[in-house]
Amino acid sequence: MTMVEPAIIIQGLTKRFQDFTAVDHLDLTINQGEIVGFIGPNGAGKSTTIRMLCGLLQPTEGQAFVAGFNVGRQPEAVREHIGYMSQKFSLYGDLTVRENLRFFGGLYRVPRHDRGERMAFAIAMAGLAGREDVLVRTLASGWKQRLALGCAILHRPPVLFLDEPTSGVEPEARRQFWDLIHELAAGGVTTLVSTHYMDEAEYCNRVALINRGKLVAIGSPSELRGHQLGGELFEMDCAPLGAALKVLTDVPGVEEAAIFGDKLHIVLSAGGITAGDLPGFLGARGIHADPPRRVTPSLEDVFVHLVSGSHETRGAF
Amino acid sequence: MNIRRVFAMAFKETLQVWRDPRSLAIALLMPVMQMVMLGYGVSLDIKHVPLCVYDQENSQESRAIVERFTAPGWFSISQTLVSEADLRNAMDRGECSMAIVIPVDFSRTLATTGSAPIQAIFDATDVNTTNIALGYAQGTVAQANAQTSAQWKAAHGVHPSPVGQVDVEPSTWFNETLDSRNFIIPGVVAVILALVGAQLTSLTISREWERGTMEQLISTPVTALEVMLGKLMPYFLIGLLDAAFCLVSAVYWFDVPFRGSLGTLFVTTVLFLIVVLGIGYLISVRIRSQLGASQIALLVTMLPTTLLSGYTFPIEQMPAPIQAITLIVYPRYYVTILRAIFLKGSSLPDLWAPLLGLFIFALIIIWLATRAFHKRLD
Ligand SMILES: Nc1ncnc2c1ncn2[C@@H]1O[C@H](COP(=O)(O)OP(=O)(O)OP(=O)(O)O)[C@@H](O)[C@H]1O
Ligand SMILES: [Mg+2]
């Protein structure tokens, strides 16, 4: 059996803007064919990391290898082997679908004999058959994003960086987008994809949680769900929610309390207040509460826990 | 460098120019408008320079002198004045480019001494018109002098003393002024190319930043050199097209003789286009908004080009320090070259001096431009 090199190796990667550290000694290794989700609140440093991996920003410290090339020293070699979708849509709105594809095909030197077929594939994949000659700025965002993905994979890169590819896209179109990513991964393409949508983390092989430039957790969705809360999670209906939250934060045994929609999520550790005591405890303080139910933590619960543990970022997702 | 990527860039850029009203206007409309404005600016005003007359004597002789000014059609009397205050007002309000003042004892002095001074006052805000008006005025006076002098000699046997006579050889002034259009129009062509060229390319990189397309572009393997060449290629063709338009209208519309060879013209124009397009590109690389870049380009090219390129105001007549500054006003070389090609039929070897200037500029610009653009966000 031959050793397969990881597609992406990140070692102590750091980026400072003046004296602000946007990415802080990040370590991460991603294997070929993996889909890794990059999750974190606004300003966590996701885009900055991806830009360094694409050779668009020079790392201040540390190093990273993409498809075997050093991103700081061999950015052009890196660019031959990656496809990138930037966070802000950045195809040419004043060019048609076909003109955009032909342009990027030219820049990536897609072999001529193959060009027609690959463009047709990208058009079909984006669901734009029949609209090849439409100006791109007139497309709805779901189509735009899929076309951008089409442009990014024209040259069949082994590594894909997608920076919030589904933001502002309809749920239905988002699902289709993820189907595409899975098809590509099945073909051996390695993907690092950042997202704000918690449900999308479930589509990833592994999820990397990043906050304030630091890697907070990494693992498969089930691994992350399985531990790390530091107690058992309960869900409770109570009113008023805000007052309940305030009262509970200082109670021994309450590891964590957070508002989730119209309910309260509470993590209780052993040795403190018990779930059965909660309604009475709150009732004595003028807060009406139903008996709490045990629930399996969602990824969101885990992230809130991890991020709030590292800092005051509760509710940032 | 990969030629396919260069052509992909060039093709995309062409499509964008074609679909961008602002770029199209600069490429196609601006040269036409400037040719009309600048071209007619020099050639029409010269016909009827507004003249104010303050005739203090109002005698037959004084009226004869005024008649000499107006008869050929160079001057038109815009106002007849009756006081010093009138004169000052008329000049201040710019109602005339030139005023002549005929003293109250004009005919008496003329009769007793054979010569009499008259005063000519110029509004020098428009240097070009002033120069030409001055030429006409001196010519007119000299002609009058010659006639009076001849009459005086016939009557008195000797030449009159030359008090008040103009000491400029009238014929040279006359040639200069009559040729002024031929002299200036080639300069206008240079000015237009300098302005339009820099305007066009000033939009090219800044457009990518402004529209947010730069990040995607630099994530591809295209090199900085390929971006530069691909982007400049369409503007180079537009520049040649604009040059052809300007030259054709100079010859067929403004009737400037063309005595040189098209080959010489082509080679020198290519060299000049490299410089002007390169300057716009350098600005575009640094300024990340289209409006900002085009305004900087206008600022950088407009003033030096119109004032210091020698296209209206001869460089030889500028003060020495200003003359030294014009050495870095690159259009001056092309102005000189175009004039020589048009009027003298000069060939490349004759033009070695301004060509060298332009060549050095082209080298510097190419050197800077190939290093200016980096595929980095920071
Ligand atoms: N060029 C820059 N100069 C200075 N600060 C920057 C620069 N680019 C990013 N930052 C800062 O670095 C931090 C990380 O930004 P980054 O764009 O990587 O975050 P992100 O995780 O992608 O956030 P979002 O989810 O909002 O896209 C932010 O605080 C941002 O303001
Ligand atoms: Mg981002």
Side-chain angles (χ1 to χ4, degrees):
Chain A
M1 194 181 126
T2 54
M3 257 281 281
V4 181
E5 278 236 342
I8 302 171
I9 304 169
I10 305 174
Q11 296 168 337
L13 197 65
T14 301
K15 180 71 189 179
R16 278 185 213 101
F17 297 109
Q18 284 89 45
D19 45 8
F20 173 74
T21 308
V23 177
D24 196 357
H25 296 92
L26 203 73
D27 293 296
L28 187 62
T29 301
I30 301 177
N31 294 314
Q32 287 186 14
E34 247 193 314
I35 301 174
V36 172
F38 219 23
I39 300 217
N42 283 320
K46 305 180 294 290
S47 297
T48 307
T49 305
I50 291 178
R51 284 170 171 164
M52 282 192 281
L53 295 177
C54 295
L56 300 176
L57 287 174
Q58 186 74 30
T60 318
E61 246 178 67
Q63 53 184 356
F65 298 87
V66 171
F69 300 100
N70 185 312
V71 297
R73 282 189 237 115
Q74 304 159 283
E76 291 302 342
V78 168
R79 289 184 190 117
E80 296 272 3
H81 295 85
I82 61 165
Y84 172 52
M85 263 180 78
S86 58
Q87 181 168 354
K88 192 173 162 296
F89 177 76
S90 58
L91 298 185
Y92 296 91
D94 51 350
L95 264 53
T96 66
V97 169
R98 199 197 303 275
E99 286 161 354
N100 268 289
L101 285 166
R102 190 171 292 149
F103 174 60
F104 286 102
L107 293 192
Y108 283 118
R109 290 191 290 172
V110 171
R112 261 179 233 280
H113 61 86
D114 230 11
R115 193 175 70 175
E117 193 189 317
R118 291 203 206 175
M119 279 177 56
F121 171 77
I123 288 168
M125 184 194 85
L128 286 168
R131 301 177 69 191
E132 294 88 344
D133 297 316
V134 164
L135 286 185
V136 162
R137 67 160 168 261
T138 63
L139 298 176
S141 62
W143 276 291
K144 275 187 186 162
Q145 294 305 85
R146 273 177 290 172
L147 178 61
L149 181 64
C151 286
I153 61 166
L154 268 182
H155 55 305
R156 307 210 167 129
V159 179
L160 266 182
F161 294 106
L162 310 177
D163 197 353
E164 298 195 21
T166 54
S167 74
V169 175
E170 309 275 292
E172 173 62 20
R174 271 168 54 198
R175 262 226 351 272
Q176 292 174 357
F177 198 94
W178 276 95
D179 288 344
L180 291 174
I181 296 176
H182 279 276
E183 275 169 37
L184 292 168
V189 175
T190 309
T191 310
L192 179 61
V193 49
S194 77
T195 178
H196 268 160
Y197 298 109
M198 221 37 69
D199 57 327
E200 293 189 344
E202 308 277 356
Y203 299 130
C204 302
N205 300 128
R206 281 195 298 159
V207 174
L209 177 65
I210 174 175
N211 188 37
R212 307 206 152 220
K214 290 200 170 78
L215 188 69
V216 179
I218 169 91
S220 69
S222 55
E223 275 170 353
L224 288 177
R225 254 195 310 272
H227 62 97
Q228 287 178 336
L229 280 193
E232 293 194 84
L233 180 70
F234 293 89
E235 184 181 80
M236 185 168 61
D237 282 306
C238 56
L241 270 175
L245 185 66
K246 212 165 156 195
V247 166
L248 286 173
T249 31
D250 294 328
V251 176
V254 176
E255 284 298 308
E256 180 84 38
I259 296 170
F260 267 68
D262 58 350
K263 295 180 176 29
L264 204 61
H265 278 199
I266 307 150
V267 177
L268 297 178
S269 60
I273 192 167
T274 63
D277 295 340
L278 274 175
F281 177 81
L282 288 171
R285 285 160 183 78
I287 298 162
H288 167 80
D290 293 346
R293 296 169 296 278
R294 263 207 67 175
V295 290
T296 352
S298 68
L299 275 177
E300 194 165 1
D301 290 306
V302 177
F303 294 145
V304 167
H305 169 72
L306 290 169
V307 168
S308 65
S310 67
H311 228 283
E312 275 306 305
T313 333
R314 199 181 295 252
F317 290 97
Chain B
M1 200 190 65
N2 179 269
I3 203 69
R4 199 172 144 206
R5 286 202 288 243
V6 174
F7 278 120
M9 258 340 279
F11 184 65
K12 180 224 86 169
E13 197 71 14
T14 310
L15 286 174
Q16 284 192 303
V17 172
W18 186 244
R19 288 173 194 161
D20 176 31
R22 169 136 121 230
S23 294
L24 264 193
I26 295 172
L28 304 177
L29 240 56
M30 206 162 121
V32 177
M33 279 167 47
Q34 289 187 332
M35 201 70 205
V36 169
M37 269 161 44
L38 297 176
Y40 276 106
V42 296
S43 49
L44 274 192
D45 281 354
I46 289 169
K47 264 279 150 48
H48 297 279
V49 179
L51 174 73
C52 285
V53 177
Y54 180 21
D55 187 351
Q56 296 174 341
E57 189 184 62
N58 202 8
S59 64
Q60 196 188 341
E61 286 82 353
S62 70
R63 283 195 298 271
I65 278 288
V66 173
E67 172 73 13
R68 275 186 190 280
F69 276 92
T70 54
W74 294 325
F75 295 98
S76 303
I77 296 186
S78 66
Q79 225 175 328
T80 308
L81 310 167
V82 293
S83 71
E84 288 282 348
D86 261 10
L87 175 64
R88 191 155 299 126
N89 282 339
M91 294 302 287
D92 283 350
R93 286 196 297 263
E95 283 162 3
C96 52
S97 300
M98 178 182 139
I100 51 176
V101 182
I102 303 177
V104 72
D105 54 355
F106 177 74
S107 55
R108 196 158 43 83
T109 319
L110 193 64
T112 50
T113 64
S115 83
I118 66 168
Q119 190 184 12
I121 302 165
F122 294 91
D123 175 356
T125 38
D126 178 355
V127 175
N128 179 37
T129 309
T130 306
N131 257 342
I132 291 160
L134 179 65
Y136 289 152
Q138 287 172 320
T140 307
V141 170
Q143 229 182 343
N145 280 347
Q147 220 170 27
T148 323
S149 177
Q151 287 166 356
W152 178 271
K153 182 155 187 273
H156 298 83
V158 288
H159 283 291
S161 63
V163 179
Q165 283 194 3
V166 191
D167 63 349
V168 176
E169 178 74 340
S171 61
T172 57
W173 275 99
F174 261 51
N175 275 343
E176 169 120 11
T177 51
L178 285 178
D179 285 350
S180 79
R181 183 205 290 184
N182 293 350
F183 191 67
I184 288 172
I185 295 279
V188 168
V189 174
V191 168
I192 292 175
L193 285 187
L195 295 181
V196 173
Q199 279 294 300
L200 276 173
T201 47
S202 74
L203 300 178
T204 179
I205 298 285
S206 48
R207 183 188 298 128
E208 305 267 357
W209 286 117
E210 191 174 295
R211 298 196 184 160
T213 50
M214 186 55 100
E215 189 160 348
Q216 197 70 47
L217 178 64
I218 62 180
S219 77
T220 73
V222 71
T223 66
L225 187 67
E226 288 157 358
V227 170
M228 182 186 91
L229 291 177
K231 277 191 167 275
L232 291 187
M233 203 186 273
Y235 299 109
F236 191 75
L237 295 180
I238 293 174
L240 284 178
L241 200 76
D242 286 342
F245 162 78
C246 289
L247 296 164
V248 165
S249 52
V251 174
Y252 293 98
W253 189 254
F254 291 103
D255 287 331
V256 179
F258 184 79
R259 304 195 175 100
S261 84
L262 285 176
T264 313
L265 188 65
F266 181 75
V267 171
T268 52
T269 302
V270 165
L271 200 59
F272 186 60
L273 280 177
I274 290 175
V275 176
V276 297
L277 297 178
I279 284 181
Y281 175 79
L282 284 172
I283 294 169
S284 195
V285 168
R286 277 171 185 73
I287 314 288
R288 294 190 174 187
S289 85
Q290 291 191 77
L291 189 63
S294 82
Q295 281 177 345
I296 299 268
L298 197 66
L299 202 74
V300 168
T301 50
M302 181 67 115
L303 282 182
T305 302
T306 48
L307 295 180
L308 299 176
S309 68
Y311 98 100
T312 46
F313 192 69
I315 290 173
E316 305 80 53
Q317 290 176 22
M318 295 175 186
I322 308 264
Q323 282 197 30
I325 292 175
T326 65
L327 289 177
I328 60 162
V329 181
Y330 52 92
R332 68 161 283 177
Y333 302 109
Y334 190 54
V335 167
T336 310
I337 288 169
L338 277 188
R339 239 171 227 165
I341 295 176
F342 265 88
L343 304 179
K344 290 191 254 172
S346 303
S347 57
L348 289 177
D350 306 327
L351 296 169
W352 72 268
L355 267 177
L356 182 67
L358 214 49
F359 193 69
I360 291 173
F361 253 97
L363 286 184
I364 295 174
I365 297 287
I366 290 172
W367 189 79
L368 289 175
T370 49
R371 275 158 190 73
F373 180 58
H374 299 285
K375 289 179 62 189
R376 291 261 180 220
L377 293 170
D378 54 354

